[in-house]
Amino acid sequence: GAVVSQHPSWVICKSGTSVKIECRSLDFQATTMFWYRQFPKQSLMLMATSNEGSKATYEQGVEKDKFLINHASLTLSTLTVTSAHPEDSSFYICSARISGREKLFFGSGTQLSVL
Amino acid sequence: GENVEQHPSTLSVQEGDSAVIKCTYSDSASNYFPWYKQELGKRPQLIIDIRSNVGEKKDQRIAVTLNKTAKHFSLHITETQPEDSAVYFCAAHTSNTGKLIFGQGTTLQVKP
């Protein structure tokens, strides 16, 4: 089956620093990837849709200048949390689908802790 | 935009009993409805899904029903086992946006 790899699996950083999270589709090409954020004991909230070769589409309430998304190739999307603060601490998870199909394949997630 | 409501938020059953989780969605253009099981700190695992042209689907102890008119779909787990204990999420996909929107989640506890 399709595999989505996400790195790092966890990261601890100081407040004010930036953190980059990578999401790769290993055995298929993904023109579209999705980034979700999940706070403890809550649901997965869609942050943005990452489109290869074009700008990401952000959900309402998500700051595009704070959560930078780059989808430079058909197999890689990155999410950069800029100037991270403790309230950005969360579980970030990416997903991708094979073109023309509805099923989403999820990365393993990144637990971000901002001190 | 699409909104998915899920109930109950917590569910406790005795081993061997059945568990039912219900979801409603708002966008009539939604056409794909997956259910996920998520363990703490892990990625969601797809357990069953259903498309809008089907009313019911079953896979061993798990079944999903869909009522398009009411915009309602449900997950049924029969003969529950302690290892079924986890958080379950429903979701709805809309083809025109490509987005998958999740319900709030249900914490299922199966007591031995």
Side-chain angles (χ1 to χ4, degrees), chain A residues 36 38 43 59 97 102 106, chain B residues 43 51 98-100 103:
Chain A
Y36 290 85
Q38 186 176 31
S43 185
E59 294 300 301
R97 61 164 55 98
E102 302 99 344
F106 285 89
Chain B
R43 77 186 84 192
R51 287 177 169 78
K99 298 178 184 178
L100 187 67

Side-chain angles (χ1 to χ4, degrees), chain A residues 24-25 30-31 33 50-53 70-77:
Chain A
R24 293 179 185 272
S25 56
T31 55
M33 291 185 177
S50 172
N51 304 297
E52 187 269 334
N70 184 279
H71 195 153
S73 78
L74 286 172
T75 59
L76 174 64
S77 176

Side-chain angles (χ1 to χ4, degrees), chain B residues 3 30 45 64 66 69 73 83 93 104 109 111:
Chain B
N3 185 49
S30 295
Q45 296 284 348
V64 58
L66 171 65
T69 302
F73 59 114
E83 50 266 37
H93 167 267
Q104 294 87 347
Q109 181 185 25
K111 298 179 180 178

Side-chain angles (χ1 to χ4, degrees), chain B:
Chain B
E2 174 71 282
N3 185 49
V4 179
E5 296 289 330
Q6 181 173 347
H7 299 280
S9 57
T10 59
L11 180 59
S12 181
V13 299
Q14 287 296 133
E15 181 177 2
D17 288 350
S18 295
V20 180
I21 303 171
K22 299 181 179 181
C23 288
T24 58
Y25 59 98
S26 60
D27 191 343
S28 56
S30 295
N31 61 350
Y32 172 67
F33 307 91
W35 285 87
Y36 294 90
K37 178 182 181 182
Q38 188 183 29
E39 298 179 357
L40 191 62
K42 301 286 184 64
R43 77 186 84 192
Q45 296 284 348
L46 178 69
I47 57 172
I48 196 168
D49 55 13
I50 191 168
R51 287 177 169 78
S52 58
N53 58 348
V54 176
E56 184 174 356
K57 184 177 178 181
K58 188 175 181 180
D59 182 4
Q60 299 183 340
R61 296 187 296 110
I62 297 173
V64 58
T65 59
L66 171 65
N67 182 329
K68 283 182 60 179
T69 302
K71 289 189 278 188
H72 173 273
F73 59 114
S74 300
L75 176 71
H76 304 253
I77 305 174
T78 59
E79 301 172 33
T80 53
Q81 301 166 3
E83 50 266 37
D84 293 330
S85 298
V87 180
Y88 291 81
F89 291 98
C90 63
H93 167 267
T94 306
S95 59
N96 56 354
T97 64
K99 298 178 184 178
L100 187 67
I101 304 300
F102 285 80
Q104 294 87 347
T106 297
T107 301
L108 174 64
Q109 181 185 25
V110 181
K111 298 179 180 178

Side-chain angles (χ1 to χ4, degrees), chain A residues 41-86:
Chain A
K41 297 185 179 181
Q42 294 190 23
S43 185
L44 287 83
M45 299 301 297
L46 181 64
M47 297 176 66
T49 303
S50 172
N51 304 297
E52 187 269 334
S54 64
K55 292 183 179 180
T57 305
Y58 290 82
E59 294 300 301
Q60 190 174 8
V62 178
E63 299 176 59
K64 61 180 181 180
D65 294 330
K66 180 168 184 62
F67 299 100
L68 300 179
I69 291 173
N70 184 279
H71 195 153
S73 78
L74 286 172
T75 59
L76 174 64
S77 176
T78 61
L79 168 68
T80 301
V81 183
T82 62
S83 186
H85 291 285

